[in-house]
Amino acid sequence: MSAHEAHGDEFYVKTWAILLVLLLISVLGPLLGHPVLTLITAFGIAVVKAYLVAVRFMHINLTPRFVTYAVATTLVFMLLFFAGTAPDVMKNHGTNWVKPAWIQAEAAYAAEVASGAAGHHGAGGHGEAPHGGEAAPAHH
Amino acid sequence: MSARPIATTRSAAGMPTARLAVWWIIASEIVIFGGLLGSYIMHRLAHGVWADYAAATNPWIGGFNTFVLLTSSLMAVLGHQAAERGDGPRAAKMLYLTCGGGLLFICVKAYEWTTEISHGMTITANTFWSFYYTAAGIHALHVIAGCIIMLFVAQTAKKNLELHRVEIIGIYWHFVDVVWIFLFPLLYIAK
């Protein structure tokens, strides 16, 4: 059927073992509490794991090249979406639009947490919404 | 004249049509999950308070579910191996094991969600939990759909019929696994 059969079962078991080791590192790494280390161990390793699954399990490298291009194009569209909408979402402190009340409430809550007055609110996050959440309009 | 549909046998694209179709599905799924995760990331970066909400998720449960999905992916690819060798019954057995992994994943998710909801962390609690339940929920629906399709595929594979389907459902299942590989650090690790 394909070049897939060139590998024996051991190859896949070995790949699975590598994935489990990577999983362990991605869980334990963030426990060290270093932000950069967390980024590397959590997200860097996620990319490596996804690559291993795509190549060794899905055999994307054995499909015609246009498939890889099609998949890569969708990823580019995702980045375009991010680039197009992130400025509005991430820079919400402008003056030329009406901000929904929940953004102001969230800012107040963040300030409260920063000042250490939030007590158990921030630590547990047991669903205490500092804002109206879904009731708020989406426009900024 | 053969009753076999042409679409399952022709190979104008340089690959079996069914395999091409599943890659198209995956490409469209990337847009769905990519948009969702992209939205999550930008909100997560913009609202520092989300780190507090994320602290309530349990990385050990998420890690266990990652282990379950990775293992089920191994079963799926071993099923593909068996199908390549023409060993339908073993391929079916591997697909049933893969399905078992999917079922275990859903059971763990149900336990996790029950605990969280009983502590007031519902989908309407705030935007973080809305994203959490939406992303994990859509993913869980894909797991359930994959399991159902896999049972049909296993039924025919057991009789040594339509063995190419084992690879097709396997590719889909691995994609569901890849989505979880990214959901796991986003929802459980980054705090």
Side-chain angles (χ1 to χ4, degrees), chain A residues 7-31:
Chain A
H7 297 300
D9 286 0
E10 303 76 27
F11 173 79
Y12 298 103
V13 174
K14 199 184 286 180
T15 302
W16 171 74
I18 293 169
L19 287 167
L20 290 193
V21 171
L22 291 174
L23 168 64
L24 201 62
I25 295 170
S26 65
V27 173
L28 296 179
L31 293 181

mmCIF file with all atom_site columns, all heavy atoms in Angstrom, chain A residues 7-31:
data_model
loop_
_atom_site.group_PDB
_atom_site.id
_atom_site.type_symbol
_atom_site.label_atom_id
_atom_site.label_alt_id
_atom_site.label_comp_id
_atom_site.label_asym_id
_atom_site.label_entity_id
_atom_site.label_seq_id
_atom_site.pdbx_PDB_ins_code
_atom_site.Cartn_x
_atom_site.Cartn_y
_atom_site.Cartn_z
_atom_site.occupancy
_atom_site.B_iso_or_equiv
_atom_site.pdbx_formal_charge
_atom_site.auth_seq_id
_atom_site.auth_comp_id
_atom_site.auth_asym_id
_atom_site.auth_atom_id
_atom_site.pdbx_PDB_model_num
ATOM 1   N N   . HIS A 1 7  ? 8.528  0.066  8.000  1.00 0.00 ? 7  HIS A N   1
ATOM 2   C CA  . HIS A 1 7  ? 8.816  0.083  9.432  1.00 0.00 ? 7  HIS A CA  1
ATOM 3   C C   . HIS A 1 7  ? 8.132  -1.097 10.125 1.00 0.00 ? 7  HIS A C   1
ATOM 4   O O   . HIS A 1 7  ? 7.024  -1.464 9.785  1.00 0.00 ? 7  HIS A O   1
ATOM 5   C CB  . HIS A 1 7  ? 8.308  1.371  10.059 1.00 0.00 ? 7  HIS A CB  1
ATOM 6   C CG  . HIS A 1 7  ? 8.990  2.606  9.530  1.00 0.00 ? 7  HIS A CG  1
ATOM 7   N ND1 . HIS A 1 7  ? 10.340 2.811  9.648  1.00 0.00 ? 7  HIS A ND1 1
ATOM 8   C CD2 . HIS A 1 7  ? 8.505  3.691  8.889  1.00 0.00 ? 7  HIS A CD2 1
ATOM 9   C CE1 . HIS A 1 7  ? 10.650 3.973  9.104  1.00 0.00 ? 7  HIS A CE1 1
ATOM 10  N NE2 . HIS A 1 7  ? 9.568  4.525  8.624  1.00 0.00 ? 7  HIS A NE2 1
ATOM 11  N N   . GLY A 1 8  ? 8.816  -1.606 11.146 1.00 0.00 ? 8  GLY A N   1
ATOM 12  C CA  . GLY A 1 8  ? 8.200  -2.649 11.953 1.00 0.00 ? 8  GLY A CA  1
ATOM 13  C C   . GLY A 1 8  ? 7.443  -2.024 13.114 1.00 0.00 ? 8  GLY A C   1
ATOM 14  O O   . GLY A 1 8  ? 7.507  -0.808 13.321 1.00 0.00 ? 8  GLY A O   1
ATOM 15  N N   . ASP A 1 9  ? 6.736  -2.865 13.878 1.00 0.00 ? 9  ASP A N   1
ATOM 16  C CA  . ASP A 1 9  ? 5.986  -2.360 15.024 1.00 0.00 ? 9  ASP A CA  1
ATOM 17  C C   . ASP A 1 9  ? 6.891  -1.661 16.029 1.00 0.00 ? 9  ASP A C   1
ATOM 18  O O   . ASP A 1 9  ? 6.487  -0.703 16.694 1.00 0.00 ? 9  ASP A O   1
ATOM 19  C CB  . ASP A 1 9  ? 5.261  -3.528 15.715 1.00 0.00 ? 9  ASP A CB  1
ATOM 20  C CG  . ASP A 1 9  ? 4.050  -3.999 14.897 1.00 0.00 ? 9  ASP A CG  1
ATOM 21  O OD1 . ASP A 1 9  ? 3.809  -3.417 13.820 1.00 0.00 ? 9  ASP A OD1 1
ATOM 22  O OD2 . ASP A 1 9  ? 3.378  -4.944 15.338 1.00 0.00 ? 9  ASP A OD2 1
ATOM 23  N N   . GLU A 1 10 ? 8.143  -2.151 16.144 1.00 0.00 ? 10 GLU A N   1
ATOM 24  C CA  . GLU A 1 10 ? 9.072  -1.581 17.135 1.00 0.00 ? 10 GLU A CA  1
ATOM 25  C C   . GLU A 1 10 ? 9.294  -0.097 16.894 1.00 0.00 ? 10 GLU A C   1
ATOM 26  O O   . GLU A 1 10 ? 9.444  0.681  17.838 1.00 0.00 ? 10 GLU A O   1
ATOM 27  C CB  . GLU A 1 10 ? 10.425 -2.302 17.094 1.00 0.00 ? 10 GLU A CB  1
ATOM 28  C CG  . GLU A 1 10 ? 10.365 -3.810 17.313 1.00 0.00 ? 10 GLU A CG  1
ATOM 29  C CD  . GLU A 1 10 ? 9.866  -4.562 16.094 1.00 0.00 ? 10 GLU A CD  1
ATOM 30  O OE1 . GLU A 1 10 ? 10.050 -4.044 14.965 1.00 0.00 ? 10 GLU A OE1 1
ATOM 31  O OE2 . GLU A 1 10 ? 9.262  -5.638 16.262 1.00 0.00 ? 10 GLU A OE2 1
ATOM 32  N N   . PHE A 1 11 ? 9.336  0.287  15.633 1.00 0.00 ? 11 PHE A N   1
ATOM 33  C CA  . PHE A 1 11 ? 9.557  1.690  15.279 1.00 0.00 ? 11 PHE A CA  1
ATOM 34  C C   . PHE A 1 11 ? 8.475  2.574  15.910 1.00 0.00 ? 11 PHE A C   1
ATOM 35  O O   . PHE A 1 11 ? 8.770  3.640  16.463 1.00 0.00 ? 11 PHE A O   1
ATOM 36  C CB  . PHE A 1 11 ? 9.542  1.838  13.756 1.00 0.00 ? 11 PHE A CB  1
ATOM 37  C CG  . PHE A 1 11 ? 9.595  3.258  13.271 1.00 0.00 ? 11 PHE A CG  1
ATOM 38  C CD1 . PHE A 1 11 ? 10.794 3.967  13.238 1.00 0.00 ? 11 PHE A CD1 1
ATOM 39  C CD2 . PHE A 1 11 ? 8.433  3.902  12.837 1.00 0.00 ? 11 PHE A CD2 1
ATOM 40  C CE1 . PHE A 1 11 ? 10.835 5.274  12.787 1.00 0.00 ? 11 PHE A CE1 1
ATOM 41  C CE2 . PHE A 1 11 ? 8.476  5.211  12.375 1.00 0.00 ? 11 PHE A CE2 1
ATOM 42  C CZ  . PHE A 1 11 ? 9.670  5.893  12.354 1.00 0.00 ? 11 PHE A CZ  1
ATOM 43  N N   . TYR A 1 12 ? 7.240  2.096  15.848 1.00 0.00 ? 12 TYR A N   1
ATOM 44  C CA  . TYR A 1 12 ? 6.122  2.888  16.369 1.00 0.00 ? 12 TYR A CA  1
ATOM 45  C C   . TYR A 1 12 ? 6.101  2.862  17.900 1.00 0.00 ? 12 TYR A C   1
ATOM 46  O O   . TYR A 1 12 ? 5.757  3.870  18.521 1.00 0.00 ? 12 TYR A O   1
ATOM 47  C CB  . TYR A 1 12 ? 4.807  2.394  15.776 1.00 0.00 ? 12 TYR A CB  1
ATOM 48  C CG  . TYR A 1 12 ? 4.793  2.560  14.281 1.00 0.00 ? 12 TYR A CG  1
ATOM 49  C CD1 . TYR A 1 12 ? 4.986  1.476  13.437 1.00 0.00 ? 12 TYR A CD1 1
ATOM 50  C CD2 . TYR A 1 12 ? 4.674  3.828  13.710 1.00 0.00 ? 12 TYR A CD2 1
ATOM 51  C CE1 . TYR A 1 12 ? 5.028  1.639  12.070 1.00 0.00 ? 12 TYR A CE1 1
ATOM 52  C CE2 . TYR A 1 12 ? 4.725  3.998  12.341 1.00 0.00 ? 12 TYR A CE2 1
ATOM 53  C CZ  . TYR A 1 12 ? 4.906  2.900  11.524 1.00 0.00 ? 12 TYR A CZ  1
ATOM 54  O OH  . TYR A 1 12 ? 4.974  3.076  10.168 1.00 0.00 ? 12 TYR A OH  1
ATOM 55  N N   . VAL A 1 13 ? 6.464  1.724  18.463 1.00 0.00 ? 13 VAL A N   1
ATOM 56  C CA  . VAL A 1 13 ? 6.513  1.647  19.926 1.00 0.00 ? 13 VAL A CA  1
ATOM 57  C C   . VAL A 1 13 ? 7.615  2.584  20.443 1.00 0.00 ? 13 VAL A C   1
ATOM 58  O O   . VAL A 1 13 ? 7.434  3.279  21.453 1.00 0.00 ? 13 VAL A O   1
ATOM 59  C CB  . VAL A 1 13 ? 6.766  0.187  20.388 1.00 0.00 ? 13 VAL A CB  1
ATOM 60  C CG1 . VAL A 1 13 ? 6.962  0.125  21.890 1.00 0.00 ? 13 VAL A CG1 1
ATOM 61  C CG2 . VAL A 1 13 ? 5.600  -0.705 19.967 1.00 0.00 ? 13 VAL A CG2 1
ATOM 62  N N   . LYS A 1 14 ? 8.728  2.610  19.718 1.00 0.00 ? 14 LYS A N   1
ATOM 63  C CA  . LYS A 1 14 ? 9.825  3.498  20.118 1.00 0.00 ? 14 LYS A CA  1
ATOM 64  C C   . LYS A 1 14 ? 9.388  4.962  20.028 1.00 0.00 ? 14 LYS A C   1
ATOM 65  O O   . LYS A 1 14 ? 9.669  5.765  20.920 1.00 0.00 ? 14 LYS A O   1
ATOM 66  C CB  . LYS A 1 14 ? 11.045 3.250  19.204 1.00 0.00 ? 14 LYS A CB  1
ATOM 67  C CG  . LYS A 1 14 ? 12.355 3.760  19.791 1.00 0.00 ? 14 LYS A CG  1
ATOM 68  C CD  . LYS A 1 14 ? 13.499 3.592  18.829 1.00 0.00 ? 14 LYS A CD  1
ATOM 69  C CE  . LYS A 1 14 ? 13.942 2.133  18.706 1.00 0.00 ? 14 LYS A CE  1
ATOM 70  N NZ  . LYS A 1 14 ? 15.062 1.981  17.748 1.00 0.00 ? 14 LYS A NZ  1
ATOM 71  N N   . THR A 1 15 ? 8.684  5.309  18.971 1.00 0.00 ? 15 THR A N   1
ATOM 72  C CA  . THR A 1 15 ? 8.177  6.682  18.811 1.00 0.00 ? 15 THR A CA  1
ATOM 73  C C   . THR A 1 15 ? 7.234  7.032  19.956 1.00 0.00 ? 15 THR A C   1
ATOM 74  O O   . THR A 1 15 ? 7.294  8.129  20.523 1.00 0.00 ? 15 THR A O   1
ATOM 75  C CB  . THR A 1 15 ? 7.426  6.820  17.463 1.00 0.00 ? 15 THR A CB  1
ATOM 76  O OG1 . THR A 1 15 ? 8.319  6.467  16.415 1.00 0.00 ? 15 THR A OG1 1
ATOM 77  C CG2 . THR A 1 15 ? 6.928  8.240  17.254 1.00 0.00 ? 15 THR A CG2 1
ATOM 78  N N   . TRP A 1 16 ? 6.377  6.092  20.309 1.00 0.00 ? 16 TRP A N   1
ATOM 79  C CA  . TRP A 1 16 ? 5.432  6.297  21.423 1.00 0.00 ? 16 TRP A CA  1
ATOM 80  C C   . TRP A 1 16 ? 6.198  6.534  22.720 1.00 0.00 ? 16 TRP A C   1
ATOM 81  O O   . TRP A 1 16 ? 5.842  7.425  23.502 1.00 0.00 ? 16 TRP A O   1
ATOM 82  C CB  . TRP A 1 16 ? 4.533  5.051  21.528 1.00 0.00 ? 16 TRP A CB  1
ATOM 83  C CG  . TRP A 1 16 ? 3.658  4.995  22.737 1.00 0.00 ? 16 TRP A CG  1
ATOM 84  C CD1 . TRP A 1 16 ? 2.529  5.714  22.984 1.00 0.00 ? 16 TRP A CD1 1
ATOM 85  C CD2 . TRP A 1 16 ? 3.839  4.151  23.880 1.00 0.00 ? 16 TRP A CD2 1
ATOM 86  N NE1 . TRP A 1 16 ? 1.995  5.369  24.197 1.00 0.00 ? 16 TRP A NE1 1
ATOM 87  C CE2 . TRP A 1 16 ? 2.774  4.410  24.762 1.00 0.00 ? 16 TRP A CE2 1
ATOM 88  C CE3 . TRP A 1 16 ? 4.790  3.190  24.233 1.00 0.00 ? 16 TRP A CE3 1
ATOM 89  C CZ2 . TRP A 1 16 ? 2.637  3.748  25.980 1.00 0.00 ? 16 TRP A CZ2 1
ATOM 90  C CZ3 . TRP A 1 16 ? 4.658  2.533  25.445 1.00 0.00 ? 16 TRP A CZ3 1
ATOM 91  C CH2 . TRP A 1 16 ? 3.589  2.813  26.306 1.00 0.00 ? 16 TRP A CH2 1
ATOM 92  N N   . ALA A 1 17 ? 7.273  5.764  22.926 1.00 0.00 ? 17 ALA A N   1
ATOM 93  C CA  . ALA A 1 17 ? 8.078  5.930  24.153 1.00 0.00 ? 17 ALA A CA  1
ATOM 94  C C   . ALA A 1 17 ? 8.712  7.329  24.175 1.00 0.00 ? 17 ALA A C   1
ATOM 95  O O   . ALA A 1 17 ? 8.723  7.988  25.232 1.00 0.00 ? 17 ALA A O   1
ATOM 96  C CB  . ALA A 1 17 ? 9.154  4.847  24.218 1.00 0.00 ? 17 ALA A CB  1
ATOM 97  N N   . ILE A 1 18 ? 9.202  7.782  23.030 1.00 0.00 ? 18 ILE A N   1
ATOM 98  C CA  . ILE A 1 18 ? 9.787  9.133  22.960 1.00 0.00 ? 18 ILE A CA  1
ATOM 99  C C   . ILE A 1 18 ? 8.714  10.173 23.298 1.00 0.00 ? 18 ILE A C   1
ATOM 100 O O   . ILE A 1 18 ? 8.944  11.121 24.046 1.00 0.00 ? 18 ILE A O   1
ATOM 101 C CB  . ILE A 1 18 ? 10.367 9.401  21.548 1.00 0.00 ? 18 ILE A CB  1
ATOM 102 C CG1 . ILE A 1 18 ? 11.567 8.482  21.292 1.00 0.00 ? 18 ILE A CG1 1
ATOM 103 C CG2 . ILE A 1 18 ? 10.794 10.865 21.393 1.00 0.00 ? 18 ILE A CG2 1
ATOM 104 C CD1 . ILE A 1 18 ? 12.055 8.481  19.847 1.00 0.00 ? 18 ILE A CD1 1
ATOM 105 N N   . LEU A 1 19 ? 7.516  9.967  22.769 1.00 0.00 ? 19 LEU A N   1
ATOM 106 C CA  . LEU A 1 19 ? 6.418  10.905 23.031 1.00 0.00 ? 19 LEU A CA  1
ATOM 107 C C   . LEU A 1 19 ? 6.081  10.948 24.519 1.00 0.00 ? 19 LEU A C   1
ATOM 108 O O   . LEU A 1 19 ? 5.794  12.019 25.068 1.00 0.00 ? 19 LEU A O   1
ATOM 109 C CB  . LEU A 1 19 ? 5.182  10.496 22.218 1.00 0.00 ? 19 LEU A CB  1
ATOM 110 C CG  . LEU A 1 19 ? 5.245  10.768 20.709 1.00 0.00 ? 19 LEU A CG  1
ATOM 111 C CD1 . LEU A 1 19 ? 4.115  10.040 19.978 1.00 0.00 ? 19 LEU A CD1 1
ATOM 112 C CD2 . LEU A 1 19 ? 5.174  12.257 20.423 1.00 0.00 ? 19 LEU A CD2 1
ATOM 113 N N   . LEU A 1 20 ? 6.140  9.798  25.174 1.00 0.00 ? 20 LEU A N   1
ATOM 114 C CA  . LEU A 1 20 ? 5.831  9.766  26.605 1.00 0.00 ? 20 LEU A CA  1
ATOM 115 C C   . LEU A 1 20 ? 6.902  10.496 27.415 1.00 0.00 ? 20 LEU A C   1
ATOM 116 O O   . LEU A 1 20 ? 6.594  11.198 28.380 1.00 0.00 ? 20 LEU A O   1
ATOM 117 C CB  . LEU A 1 20 ? 5.707  8.320  27.097 1.00 0.00 ? 20 LEU A CB  1
ATOM 118 C CG  . LEU A 1 20 ? 4.484  7.539  26.606 1.00 0.00 ? 20 LEU A CG  1
ATOM 119 C CD1 . LEU A 1 20 ? 4.325  6.251  27.401 1.00 0.00 ? 20 LEU A CD1 1
ATOM 120 C CD2 . LEU A 1 20 ? 3.210  8.366  26.709 1.00 0.00 ? 20 LEU A CD2 1
ATOM 121 N N   . VAL A 1 21 ? 8.163  10.318 27.020 1.00 0.00 ? 21 VAL A N   1
ATOM 122 C CA  . VAL A 1 21 ? 9.245  11.037 27.717 1.00 0.00 ? 21 VAL A CA  1
ATOM 123 C C   . VAL A 1 21 ? 9.043  12.543 27.544 1.00 0.00 ? 21 VAL A C   1
ATOM 124 O O   . VAL A 1 21 ? 9.160  13.318 28.505 1.00 0.00 ? 21 VAL A O   1
ATOM 125 C CB  . VAL A 1 21 ? 10.628 10.601 27.168 1.00 0.00 ? 21 VAL A CB  1
ATOM 126 C CG1 . VAL A 1 21 ? 11.728 11.498 27.720 1.00 0.00 ? 21 VAL A CG1 1
ATOM 127 C CG2 . VAL A 1 21 ? 10.903 9.148  27.525 1.00 0.00 ? 21 VAL A CG2 1
ATOM 128 N N   . LEU A 1 22 ? 8.696  12.955 26.330 1.00 0.00 ? 22 LEU A N   1
ATOM 129 C CA  . LEU A 1 22 ? 8.454  14.384 26.069 1.00 0.00 ? 22 LEU A CA  1
ATOM 130 C C   . LEU A 1 22 ? 7.263  14.884 26.895 1.00 0.00 ? 22 LEU A C   1
ATOM 131 O O   . LEU A 1 22 ? 7.285  16.004 27.416 1.00 0.00 ? 22 LEU A O   1
ATOM 132 C CB  . LEU A 1 22 ? 8.195  14.611 24.578 1.00 0.00 ? 22 LEU A CB  1
ATOM 133 C CG  . LEU A 1 22 ? 9.403  14.411 23.657 1.00 0.00 ? 22 LEU A CG  1
ATOM 134 C CD1 . LEU A 1 22 ? 8.993  14.519 22.197 1.00 0.00 ? 22 LEU A CD1 1
ATOM 135 C CD2 . LEU A 1 22 ? 10.485 15.435 23.964 1.00 0.00 ? 22 LEU A CD2 1
ATOM 136 N N   . LEU A 1 23 ? 6.245  14.037 27.013 1.00 0.00 ? 23 LEU A N   1
ATOM 137 C CA  . LEU A 1 23 ? 5.074  14.414 27.818 1.00 0.00 ? 23 LEU A CA  1
ATOM 138 C C   . LEU A 1 23 ? 5.482  14.644 29.275 1.00 0.00 ? 23 LEU A C   1
ATOM 139 O O   . LEU A 1 23 ? 5.082  15.634 29.899 1.00 0.00 ? 23 LEU A O   1
ATOM 140 C CB  . LEU A 1 23 ? 3.998  13.318 27.731 1.00 0.00 ? 23 LEU A CB  1
ATOM 141 C CG  . LEU A 1 23 ? 2.844  13.421 28.730 1.00 0.00 ? 23 LEU A CG  1
ATOM 142 C CD1 . LEU A 1 23 ? 2.032  14.682 28.492 1.00 0.00 ? 23 LEU A CD1 1
ATOM 143 C CD2 . LEU A 1 23 ? 1.932  12.202 28.633 1.00 0.00 ? 23 LEU A CD2 1
ATOM 144 N N   . LEU A 1 24 ? 6.302  13.734 29.780 1.00 0.00 ? 24 LEU A N   1
ATOM 145 C CA  . LEU A 1 24 ? 6.759  13.847 31.172 1.00 0.00 ? 24 LEU A CA  1
ATOM 146 C C   . LEU A 1 24 ? 7.524  15.153 31.380 1.00 0.00 ? 24 LEU A C   1
ATOM 147 O O   . LEU A 1 24 ? 7.311  15.871 32.371 1.00 0.00 ? 24 LEU A O   1
ATOM 148 C CB  . LEU A 1 24 ? 7.650  12.642 31.510 1.00 0.00 ? 24 LEU A CB  1
ATOM 149 C CG  . LEU A 1 24 ? 7.807  12.323 32.996 1.00 0.00 ? 24 LEU A CG  1
ATOM 150 C CD1 . LEU A 1 24 ? 6.470  11.974 33.612 1.00 0.00 ? 24 LEU A CD1 1
ATOM 151 C CD2 . LEU A 1 24 ? 8.795  11.192 33.194 1.00 0.00 ? 24 LEU A CD2 1
ATOM 152 N N   . ILE A 1 25 ? 8.388  15.472 30.429 1.00 0.00 ? 25 ILE A N   1
ATOM 153 C CA  . ILE A 1 25 ? 9.170  16.714 30.535 1.00 0.00 ? 25 ILE A CA  1
ATOM 154 C C   . ILE A 1 25 ? 8.230  17.927 30.487 1.00 0.00 ? 25 ILE A C   1
ATOM 155 O O   . ILE A 1 25 ? 8.406  18.881 31.256 1.00 0.00 ? 25 ILE A O   1
ATOM 156 C CB  . ILE A 1 25 ? 10.208 16.808 29.391 1.00 0.00 ? 25 ILE A CB  1
ATOM 157 C CG1 . ILE A 1 25 ? 11.240 15.685 29.535 1.00 0.00 ? 25 ILE A CG1 1
ATOM 158 C CG2 . ILE A 1 25 ? 10.911 18.159 29.397 1.00 0.00 ? 25 ILE A CG2 1
ATOM 159 C CD1 . ILE A 1 25 ? 12.168 15.534 28.345 1.00 0.00 ? 25 ILE A CD1 1
ATOM 160 N N   . SER A 1 26 ? 7.215  17.865 29.606 1.00 0.00 ? 26 SER A N   1
ATOM 161 C CA  . SER A 1 26 ? 6.315  19.018 29.490 1.00 0.00 ? 26 SER A CA  1
ATOM 162 C C   . SER A 1 26 ? 5.464  19.207 30.741 1.00 0.00 ? 26 SER A C   1
ATOM 163 O O   . SER A 1 26 ? 4.997  20.307 31.017 1.00 0.00 ? 26 SER A O   1
ATOM 164 C CB  . SER A 1 26 ? 5.429  18.892 28.249 1.00 0.00 ? 26 SER A CB  1
ATOM 165 O OG  . SER A 1 26 ? 4.569  17.800 28.369 1.00 0.00 ? 26 SER A OG  1
ATOM 166 N N   . VAL A 1 27 ? 5.245  18.134 31.512 1.00 0.00 ? 27 VAL A N   1
ATOM 167 C CA  . VAL A 1 27 ? 4.493  18.266 32.755 1.00 0.00 ? 27 VAL A CA  1
ATOM 168 C C   . VAL A 1 27 ? 5.413  18.730 33.886 1.00 0.00 ? 27 VAL A C   1
ATOM 169 O O   . VAL A 1 27 ? 5.053  19.605 34.684 1.00 0.00 ? 27 VAL A O   1
ATOM 170 C CB  . VAL A 1 27 ? 3.813  16.928 33.143 1.00 0.00 ? 27 VAL A CB  1
ATOM 171 C CG1 . VAL A 1 27 ? 3.175  17.023 34.525 1.00 0.00 ? 27 VAL A CG1 1
ATOM 172 C CG2 . VAL A 1 27 ? 2.768  16.548 32.120 1.00 0.00 ? 27 VAL A CG2 1
ATOM 173 N N   . LEU A 1 28 ? 6.624  18.163 33.939 1.00 0.00 ? 28 LEU A N   1
ATOM 174 C CA  . LEU A 1 28 ? 7.534  18.467 35.050 1.00 0.00 ? 28 LEU A CA  1
ATOM 175 C C   . LEU A 1 28 ? 8.248  19.811 34.872 1.00 0.00 ? 28 LEU A C   1
ATOM 176 O O   . LEU A 1 28 ? 8.517  20.505 35.857 1.00 0.00 ? 28 LEU A O   1
ATOM 177 C CB  . LEU A 1 28 ? 8.569  17.349 35.195 1.00 0.00 ? 28 LEU A CB  1
ATOM 178 C CG  . LEU A 1 28 ? 8.005  15.980 35.579 1.00 0.00 ? 28 LEU A CG  1
ATOM 179 C CD1 . LEU A 1 28 ? 9.121  14.947 35.674 1.00 0.00 ? 28 LEU A CD1 1
ATOM 180 C CD2 . LEU A 1 28 ? 7.234  16.050 36.902 1.00 0.00 ? 28 LEU A CD2 1
ATOM 181 N N   . GLY A 1 29 ? 8.565  20.187 33.637 1.00 0.00 ? 29 GLY A N   1
ATOM 182 C CA  . GLY A 1 29 ? 9.301  21.427 33.374 1.00 0.00 ? 29 GLY A CA  1
ATOM 183 C C   . GLY A 1 29 ? 8.690  22.651 34.036 1.00 0.00 ? 29 GLY A C   1
ATOM 184 O O   . GLY A 1 29 ? 9.381  23.379 34.766 1.00 0.00 ? 29 GLY A O   1
ATOM 185 N N   . PRO A 1 30 ? 7.395  22.892 33.838 1.00 0.00 ? 30 PRO A N   1
ATOM 186 C CA  . PRO A 1 30 ? 6.778  24.084 34.431 1.00 0.00 ? 30 PRO A CA  1
ATOM 187 C C   . PRO A 1 30 ? 6.783  24.082 35.961 1.00 0.00 ? 30 PRO A C   1
ATOM 188 O O   . PRO A 1 30 ? 6.631  25.138 36.579 1.00 0.00 ? 30 PRO A O   1
ATOM 189 C CB  . PRO A 1 30 ? 5.338  24.041 33.905 1.00 0.00 ? 30 PRO A CB  1
ATOM 190 C CG  . PRO A 1 30 ? 5.443  23.254 32.647 1.00 0.00 ? 30 PRO A CG  1
ATOM 191 C CD  . PRO A 1 30 ? 6.489  22.219 32.905 1.00 0.00 ? 30 PRO A CD  1
ATOM 192 N N   . LEU A 1 31 ? 6.965  22.916 36.576 1.00 0.00 ? 31 LEU A N   1
ATOM 193 C CA  . LEU A 1 31 ? 6.983  22.864 38.050 1.00 0.00 ? 31 LEU A CA  1
ATOM 194 C C   . LEU A 1 31 ? 8.185  23.620 38.611 1.00 0.00 ? 31 LEU A C   1
ATOM 195 O O   . LEU A 1 31 ? 8.188  24.028 39.770 1.00 0.00 ? 31 LEU A O   1
ATOM 196 C CB  . LEU A 1 31 ? 7.016  21.411 38.530 1.00 0.00 ? 31 LEU A CB  1
ATOM 197 C CG  . LEU A 1 31 ? 5.751  20.581 38.241 1.00 0.00 ? 31 LEU A CG  1
ATOM 198 C CD1 . LEU A 1 31 ? 5.901  19.175 38.782 1.00 0.00 ? 31 LEU A CD1 1
ATOM 199 C CD2 . LEU A 1 31 ? 4.519  21.245 38.846 1.00 0.00 ? 31 LEU A CD2 1
#
